[in-house]
Amino acid sequence: MPEGRILIVEDEYIVAMGIKRMLKNLGYTLAGVASSGEEAINKAESSFPDLVLMDIMLKGEMNGIEAAKEIKVRFGIPVVYLTACSESKIVEHAWKTGPSGYIVKPFDEKDLQKSIDVALRRQRMEKNEPGRSSLNAENPLRNPEHAPKKSEKTPEKLSESVKCTERL
């Protein structure tokens, strides 16, 4: 059974519930669901999850990239970005925060599980080997294993209809 308490940060309720269902099916423990950057920081502080699944485009004053940066700096919790946006400018901005992964919507349980497993293993390795930095977090092209991937479309995928229109 997979180990890991995961916080979902997603402002689209239906999408968040779909992710929640996937995590349950995969055997992960839910640390909570937040719908804004500010709420994500508060929930990370109170529940101290092992991993945060963070949508980049959030409603409110703080986007997912800003919230992820704050969570990583204050609590040392790894973040995997979830987004329907694959624009190079947004991807580049997100990668500068050193995420543990990046999943492009729509995605399925296999995509989610692979990204979570890589992020949690990386976190454990870094804890066991102090001083070890993230593997080329600033440049995903140097480490293709962690570069953004497009998912193959299948009927059981989590769909996303949100347009990439928010500011960064």
Side-chain angles (χ1 to χ4, degrees), residues 24-56:
K24 184 178 177 186
N25 290 344
L26 293 169
Y28 293 103
T29 302
L30 185 67
V33 178
S35 61
S36 70
E38 296 84 357
E39 184 182 6
I41 293 166
N42 291 335
K43 287 208 176 187
E45 184 174 30
S46 64
S47 66
F48 207 73
D50 297 309
L51 179 71
V52 176
L53 295 175
M54 177 75 71
D55 186 14
I56 289 178

Short mmCIF file of all heavy atoms in Angstrom, two decimals, residues 24-56:
data_model
loop_
_atom_site.label_atom_id
_atom_site.label_comp_id
_atom_site.label_asym_id
_atom_site.label_seq_id
_atom_site.Cartn_x
_atom_site.Cartn_y
_atom_site.Cartn_z
N LYS A 24 -7.57 8.01 -3.45
CA LYS A 24 -8.17 6.95 -2.63
C LYS A 24 -8.00 5.59 -3.31
O LYS A 24 -7.61 4.62 -2.68
CB LYS A 24 -9.65 7.25 -2.39
CG LYS A 24 -10.32 6.25 -1.47
CD LYS A 24 -11.77 6.62 -1.23
CE LYS A 24 -12.42 5.56 -0.36
NZ LYS A 24 -13.84 5.78 -0.19
N ASN A 25 -8.27 5.54 -4.62
CA ASN A 25 -8.11 4.29 -5.38
C ASN A 25 -6.67 3.79 -5.35
O ASN A 25 -6.42 2.59 -5.37
CB ASN A 25 -8.54 4.47 -6.84
CG ASN A 25 -10.03 4.65 -7.00
OD1 ASN A 25 -10.81 4.36 -6.10
ND2 ASN A 25 -10.43 5.15 -8.16
N LEU A 26 -5.72 4.72 -5.32
CA LEU A 26 -4.30 4.37 -5.32
C LEU A 26 -3.78 4.04 -3.92
O LEU A 26 -2.65 3.60 -3.77
CB LEU A 26 -3.47 5.51 -5.93
CG LEU A 26 -3.71 5.75 -7.43
CD1 LEU A 26 -3.06 7.06 -7.86
CD2 LEU A 26 -3.18 4.57 -8.24
N GLY A 27 -4.60 4.29 -2.90
CA GLY A 27 -4.22 3.95 -1.53
C GLY A 27 -3.51 5.03 -0.77
O GLY A 27 -2.97 4.78 0.31
N TYR A 28 -3.49 6.26 -1.27
CA TYR A 28 -2.86 7.35 -0.54
C TYR A 28 -3.82 7.94 0.48
O TYR A 28 -5.03 7.80 0.36
CB TYR A 28 -2.42 8.47 -1.51
CG TYR A 28 -1.31 8.04 -2.43
CD1 TYR A 28 -1.58 7.72 -3.75
CD2 TYR A 28 0.00 7.92 -1.97
CE1 TYR A 28 -0.56 7.31 -4.61
CE2 TYR A 28 1.01 7.51 -2.82
CZ TYR A 28 0.72 7.20 -4.14
OH TYR A 28 1.72 6.79 -4.97
N THR A 29 -3.27 8.62 1.48
CA THR A 29 -4.05 9.27 2.51
C THR A 29 -4.22 10.74 2.12
O THR A 29 -3.24 11.40 1.75
CB THR A 29 -3.34 9.19 3.88
OG1 THR A 29 -3.12 7.81 4.19
CG2 THR A 29 -4.16 9.83 4.97
N LEU A 30 -5.43 11.24 2.21
CA LEU A 30 -5.70 12.64 1.89
C LEU A 30 -5.42 13.50 3.12
O LEU A 30 -5.97 13.26 4.19
CB LEU A 30 -7.16 12.80 1.45
CG LEU A 30 -7.56 14.18 0.97
CD1 LEU A 30 -6.84 14.52 -0.33
CD2 LEU A 30 -9.06 14.24 0.77
N ALA A 31 -4.57 14.50 2.94
CA ALA A 31 -4.26 15.43 4.04
C ALA A 31 -5.22 16.62 4.02
O ALA A 31 -5.27 17.38 4.97
CB ALA A 31 -2.82 15.91 3.93
N GLY A 32 -5.96 16.79 2.93
CA GLY A 32 -6.91 17.87 2.82
C GLY A 32 -7.05 18.35 1.39
O GLY A 32 -6.32 17.92 0.50
N VAL A 33 -8.01 19.26 1.20
CA VAL A 33 -8.25 19.88 -0.10
C VAL A 33 -8.33 21.39 0.14
O VAL A 33 -9.04 21.84 1.04
CB VAL A 33 -9.56 19.38 -0.75
CG1 VAL A 33 -9.82 20.08 -2.07
CG2 VAL A 33 -9.54 17.86 -0.93
N ALA A 34 -7.60 22.15 -0.67
CA ALA A 34 -7.63 23.61 -0.59
C ALA A 34 -7.98 24.15 -1.97
O ALA A 34 -7.66 23.53 -2.98
CB ALA A 34 -6.28 24.14 -0.14
N SER A 35 -8.64 25.31 -1.98
CA SER A 35 -9.04 25.87 -3.28
C SER A 35 -8.37 27.20 -3.59
O SER A 35 -8.64 27.79 -4.63
CB SER A 35 -10.56 26.03 -3.32
OG SER A 35 -10.99 26.90 -2.31
N SER A 36 -7.49 27.67 -2.71
CA SER A 36 -6.76 28.92 -2.97
C SER A 36 -5.34 28.77 -2.46
O SER A 36 -5.04 27.88 -1.65
CB SER A 36 -7.43 30.10 -2.26
OG SER A 36 -7.26 30.00 -0.86
N GLY A 37 -4.47 29.67 -2.92
CA GLY A 37 -3.08 29.64 -2.47
C GLY A 37 -2.95 29.87 -0.97
O GLY A 37 -2.20 29.18 -0.29
N GLU A 38 -3.71 30.82 -0.47
CA GLU A 38 -3.67 31.14 0.96
C GLU A 38 -4.13 29.95 1.80
O GLU A 38 -3.52 29.60 2.81
CB GLU A 38 -4.54 32.36 1.27
CG GLU A 38 -4.07 33.64 0.62
CD GLU A 38 -4.55 33.84 -0.83
OE1 GLU A 38 -5.22 32.94 -1.40
OE2 GLU A 38 -4.23 34.90 -1.40
N GLU A 39 -5.23 29.32 1.37
CA GLU A 39 -5.76 28.16 2.08
C GLU A 39 -4.77 27.01 2.02
O GLU A 39 -4.60 26.27 2.99
CB GLU A 39 -7.11 27.75 1.48
CG GLU A 39 -7.78 26.62 2.23
CD GLU A 39 -9.10 26.17 1.59
OE1 GLU A 39 -9.47 26.66 0.49
OE2 GLU A 39 -9.74 25.31 2.20
N ALA A 40 -4.07 26.85 0.90
CA ALA A 40 -3.08 25.78 0.74
C ALA A 40 -1.95 25.94 1.77
O ALA A 40 -1.54 24.96 2.40
CB ALA A 40 -2.50 25.80 -0.67
N ILE A 41 -1.48 27.16 1.94
CA ILE A 41 -0.41 27.41 2.91
C ILE A 41 -0.89 27.09 4.32
O ILE A 41 -0.19 26.43 5.10
CB ILE A 41 0.09 28.86 2.80
CG1 ILE A 41 0.79 29.06 1.45
CG2 ILE A 41 1.02 29.21 3.96
CD1 ILE A 41 1.04 30.51 1.08
N ASN A 42 -2.10 27.53 4.67
CA ASN A 42 -2.65 27.25 6.00
C ASN A 42 -2.83 25.75 6.23
O ASN A 42 -2.50 25.24 7.30
CB ASN A 42 -3.99 27.97 6.19
CG ASN A 42 -3.83 29.47 6.29
OD1 ASN A 42 -2.77 29.97 6.68
ND2 ASN A 42 -4.86 30.21 5.92
N LYS A 43 -3.34 25.03 5.22
CA LYS A 43 -3.54 23.58 5.37
C LYS A 43 -2.20 22.85 5.42
O LYS A 43 -2.07 21.87 6.15
CB LYS A 43 -4.42 23.03 4.26
CG LYS A 43 -5.86 23.44 4.45
CD LYS A 43 -6.82 22.45 3.86
CE LYS A 43 -8.22 22.96 4.20
NZ LYS A 43 -9.25 22.05 3.85
N ALA A 44 -1.22 23.31 4.67
CA ALA A 44 0.11 22.69 4.72
C ALA A 44 0.71 22.85 6.11
O ALA A 44 1.32 21.93 6.65
CB ALA A 44 1.03 23.30 3.66
N GLU A 45 0.50 24.02 6.70
CA GLU A 45 1.03 24.29 8.04
C GLU A 45 0.33 23.44 9.10
O GLU A 45 0.96 22.94 10.01
CB GLU A 45 0.87 25.77 8.37
CG GLU A 45 1.47 26.16 9.71
CD GLU A 45 1.44 27.66 9.93
OE1 GLU A 45 0.52 28.34 9.42
OE2 GLU A 45 2.34 28.15 10.64
N SER A 46 -0.97 23.25 8.96
CA SER A 46 -1.71 22.51 9.99
C SER A 46 -1.67 20.99 9.80
O SER A 46 -1.70 20.25 10.77
CB SER A 46 -3.17 22.98 10.05
OG SER A 46 -3.83 22.69 8.84
N SER A 47 -1.59 20.51 8.55
CA SER A 47 -1.64 19.06 8.33
C SER A 47 -0.28 18.46 7.97
O SER A 47 -0.12 17.26 7.98
CB SER A 47 -2.65 18.72 7.23
OG SER A 47 -2.21 19.22 5.98
N PHE A 48 0.66 19.29 7.64
CA PHE A 48 2.01 18.91 7.23
C PHE A 48 2.02 17.64 6.37
O PHE A 48 2.47 16.58 6.78
CB PHE A 48 2.94 18.75 8.44
CG PHE A 48 4.37 18.99 8.08
CD1 PHE A 48 4.82 20.28 7.83
CD2 PHE A 48 5.27 17.95 7.96
CE1 PHE A 48 6.14 20.51 7.47
CE2 PHE A 48 6.59 18.18 7.59
CZ PHE A 48 7.03 19.46 7.36
N PRO A 49 1.52 17.75 5.13
CA PRO A 49 1.47 16.60 4.23
C PRO A 49 2.86 16.19 3.74
O PRO A 49 3.82 16.95 3.88
CB PRO A 49 0.62 17.11 3.06
CG PRO A 49 0.89 18.58 3.05
CD PRO A 49 1.03 18.97 4.49
N ASP A 50 2.95 15.01 3.15
CA ASP A 50 4.21 14.55 2.56
C ASP A 50 4.41 15.15 1.17
O ASP A 50 5.53 15.22 0.68
CB ASP A 50 4.21 13.01 2.44
CG ASP A 50 4.13 12.36 3.80
OD1 ASP A 50 4.94 12.72 4.68
OD2 ASP A 50 3.27 11.49 4.00
N LEU A 51 3.29 15.54 0.53
CA LEU A 51 3.33 16.05 -0.83
C LEU A 51 2.13 16.95 -1.08
O LEU A 51 1.05 16.70 -0.53
CB LEU A 51 3.30 14.87 -1.82
CG LEU A 51 3.32 15.19 -3.31
CD1 LEU A 51 4.70 15.70 -3.72
CD2 LEU A 51 2.96 13.96 -4.12
N VAL A 52 2.32 17.96 -1.92
CA VAL A 52 1.22 18.83 -2.33
C VAL A 52 1.04 18.71 -3.83
O VAL A 52 2.00 18.83 -4.59
CB VAL A 52 1.50 20.31 -1.96
CG1 VAL A 52 0.38 21.22 -2.47
CG2 VAL A 52 1.68 20.48 -0.46
N LEU A 53 -0.19 18.42 -4.25
CA LEU A 53 -0.57 18.46 -5.66
C LEU A 53 -1.18 19.83 -5.89
O LEU A 53 -2.24 20.14 -5.35
CB LEU A 53 -1.58 17.35 -6.00
CG LEU A 53 -1.09 15.93 -5.85
CD1 LEU A 53 -2.23 14.96 -6.11
CD2 LEU A 53 0.07 15.65 -6.79
N MET A 54 -0.49 20.69 -6.66
CA MET A 54 -0.84 22.10 -6.76
C MET A 54 -1.24 22.50 -8.17
O MET A 54 -0.44 22.41 -9.10
CB MET A 54 0.38 22.94 -6.34
CG MET A 54 0.22 24.43 -6.44
SD MET A 54 -0.79 25.15 -5.14
CE MET A 54 0.29 24.97 -3.73
N ASP A 55 -2.48 22.96 -8.32
CA ASP A 55 -2.90 23.54 -9.59
C ASP A 55 -2.19 24.88 -9.72
O ASP A 55 -2.08 25.63 -8.74
CB ASP A 55 -4.42 23.73 -9.60
CG ASP A 55 -4.96 24.19 -10.93
OD1 ASP A 55 -4.23 24.13 -11.94
OD2 ASP A 55 -6.13 24.62 -10.97
N ILE A 56 -1.70 25.21 -10.90
CA ILE A 56 -0.98 26.47 -11.09
C ILE A 56 -1.93 27.65 -11.13
O ILE A 56 -1.68 28.69 -10.53
CB ILE A 56 -0.12 26.42 -12.38
CG1 ILE A 56 1.05 25.48 -12.15
CG2 ILE A 56 0.37 27.81 -12.76
CD1 ILE A 56 1.95 25.30 -13.35
#
